[in-house]
Amino acid sequence: MPETPDSGPQRIALVTGAARGIGLGIAERLMQDGWQVVLADVDGRECEQSAASLGPAARAIALDVRDEEQVREAIRRTEEWYGGLDALVNNAGISDPHSGPLEELELADWQRWLDTNLTGVFLLGKYALPLLRRRRGAIVNISSTRALQSEPDTEAYAASKGGLDAFTHALAISAGPEVRVNAIRPGWIDTRSPDQQQAEPLSAQDHAQHPVGRVGQPGDIAALTAFLLGPDAGFVTGQIWTADGGMTRRMIYAD
Ligand code: NAP
């Protein structure tokens, strides 16, 4: 295992859907914490640009998480580059929850949500697990509070994230004691660029409805991910962590 000058063995993380949004925020935070990060995304070009913006400790792989061959190859290349893997962050997903009325939802569209948000996590887990076992690593799956509560016409997304929560606790039992597996359920995370957020700010009500007084940022999810992957979470596995500014704890009955 390669050594870094001052912090011991180098830790390697693979983050999917890392070209932008929450995944890019997670990659950035892990790099600040001294990890070497492989950014993987279906948009290979944007992924290359994002990795380049993070510096030489970041590498990019074009990866469609629905494609078994591509997943196998991404894990193989990660092992070839770094000799192992310490962390897998399954963040890639169709983040739009709205699939339309169920009566009009095509099977192919239902499948697209399930394949991306759930089957991809199975494939990554399948091929990464042998490497993670060797290094006593950890997995974090990015779920959603929509596994718990819904707006109309979001069945495919909700089902994919509910499945992901169940997959997480099942795998935690199978993968231990070597590998810990947790999930995070983000609430509303504003993934727009700082410039966009400044140019078109969210309303005061958008923020104030949250018990913490604000909408979330990618860094909020990245901080929890960093904790769950790190040694301070060594006694924590099989858990689903809600990071939503308290929204799922607020009663919303009309007066
Ligand atoms: P985002 O900005 O759309 O980023 C998701 C990234 O995943 C995109 O770069 C996307 O690429 C990529 N991706 C999509 N399909 C893929 C595939 N088959 N293989 C590899 N990469 C793929 O979304 P985000 O808001 O950061 O969300 C990240 C995760 O957090 C998702 O799992 C989402 O469900 C979850 N989440 C987000 C929120 C929120 O408020 N933002 C709340 C709860 C949960 P393309 O866009 O090019 O397809």
Side-chain angles (χ1 to χ4, degrees):
M1 202 183 291
E3 301 277 327
T4 51
D6 49 7
S7 59
Q10 183 66 65
R11 296 175 300 170
I12 315 301
L14 174 66
V15 183
T16 67
R20 57 191 164 85
I22 294 172
L24 179 55
I26 291 170
E28 201 170 3
R29 168 62 194 253
L30 293 179
M31 289 191 57
Q32 284 164 7
D33 290 357
W35 292 74
Q36 298 231 261
V37 181
V38 179
L39 289 79
D41 202 285
V42 70
D43 187 336
R45 236 180 98 185
E46 193 181 357
C47 196
E48 287 279 355
Q49 287 165 356
S50 299
S53 76
L54 294 183
R59 295 184 92 149
I61 292 184
L63 168 66
D64 184 337
V65 298
R66 298 168 296 182
D67 185 313
E68 183 164 12
E69 266 319 299
Q70 289 188 31
V71 170
R72 196 203 309 257
E73 177 60 12
I75 299 297
R76 190 197 65 74
R77 281 175 69 192
T78 302
E79 186 178 21
E80 185 180 277
W81 284 338
Y82 297 109
L85 184 67
D86 301 275
L88 168 65
V89 182
N90 285 306
N91 165 81
I94 300 177
S95 54
D96 179 2
H98 299 283
S99 48
L102 195 71
E103 304 92 314
E104 294 164 24
L105 180 58
E106 297 292 339
L107 177 58
D109 288 327
W110 164 268
Q111 210 68 59
R112 203 162 47 83
W113 260 277
L114 270 290
D115 284 352
T116 308
N117 295 4
L118 185 56
T119 306
V121 176
F122 149 65
L123 290 173
L124 264 302
K126 172 174 172 160
Y127 289 102
L129 206 51
L131 273 67
L132 292 169
R133 281 195 199 280
R134 268 192 259 144
R135 300 265 278 252
R136 300 190 77 85
I139 297 175
V140 170
N141 296 325
I142 305 301
S143 177
S144 170
T145 49
R146 288 173 186 270
L148 299 173
Q149 52 185 171
S150 295
E151 293 174 303
D153 304 332
T154 58
E155 285 76 13
Y157 184 90
S160 72
K161 295 299 188 179
L164 182 54
D165 286 4
F167 179 89
T168 298
H169 67 69
L171 184 59
I173 301 310
S174 309
E178 295 92 355
V179 179
R180 295 180 302 102
V181 187
N182 288 283
I184 298 173
R185 289 190 195 115
W188 179 2
I189 306 299
D190 191 348
T191 56
R192 298 174 301 154
S193 71
D195 285 351
Q196 281 174 300
Q197 291 191 29
Q198 209 171 14
E200 285 177 60
L202 299 174
S203 72
Q205 191 188 17
D206 288 335
H207 291 294
Q209 68 185 317
H210 290 75
V212 300
R214 66 173 176 84
V215 169
Q217 294 288 323
D220 294 314
I221 305 307
L224 184 51
T225 303
F227 164 72
L228 289 171
L229 294 179
D232 288 345
F235 197 52
V236 178
T237 195
Q239 302 303 315
I240 321 296
W241 298 72
T242 297
D244 68 344
M247 282 300 282
T248 49
R249 291 301 189 202
R250 182 184 282 291
M251 287 281 187
I252 55 165
Y253 295 116
D255 286 340

